[in-house]
Amino acid sequence: MTDLSTTNLQRLLDQAAPGPWTALATYDDGAPRPDTTREMRAAGEYLGIMHTPNSALAAAAPDLAQEVLRLRRRLSRITTDRETVAHHEGDQDG
């Protein structure tokens, strides 16, 4: 199973080519690719060739990982805030 821990997601992002990532359906001269291959690029840098629909998911992966990390940080803040409120409400009851 893939390690989707916060630490591993951040490590993967830190080691990945900078974005944005794109899956190009055309050749450099603008001609369309005749099959499902896509040229993968990150900030203009050639990464390789993939087939659709995997190429679209791979291109979105850095943004998806960033979103997971953002949501985890927000959830952590919400949880901490709720625990703080519950603690203070408990102090008032006693």
Side-chain angles (χ1 to χ4, degrees):
M1 178 173 207
T2 303
D3 179 359
L4 296 177
S5 66
T6 298
T7 300
N8 195 50
L9 285 177
Q10 188 61 60
R11 182 186 62 76
L12 290 170
L13 283 170
D14 291 344
Q15 294 175 353
W21 287 23
T22 54
L24 303 173
T26 59
Y27 291 102
D28 289 340
D29 65 2
R33 292 183 171 274
D35 54 19
T36 64
T37 61
R38 298 296 181 259
E39 181 177 322
M40 302 301 295
R41 291 198 168 264
E45 177 185 338
Y46 176 79
L47 298 177
I49 299 291
M50 292 186 76
H51 288 270
T52 58
N54 295 337
S55 59
L57 182 59
D63 292 334
L64 291 169
Q66 287 285 7
E67 180 68 2
V68 167
L69 293 174
R70 185 189 71 76
L71 290 171
R72 285 180 181 174
R73 285 189 300 269
R74 186 166 183 208
L75 181 59
S76 178
R77 286 193 302 268
I78 290 169
T79 301
T80 300
D81 290 349
R82 289 185 68 139
E83 288 171 354
T84 300
V85 167
H87 177 73
H88 289 302
E89 287 175 351
D91 287 348
Q92 294 172 5
D93 290 342

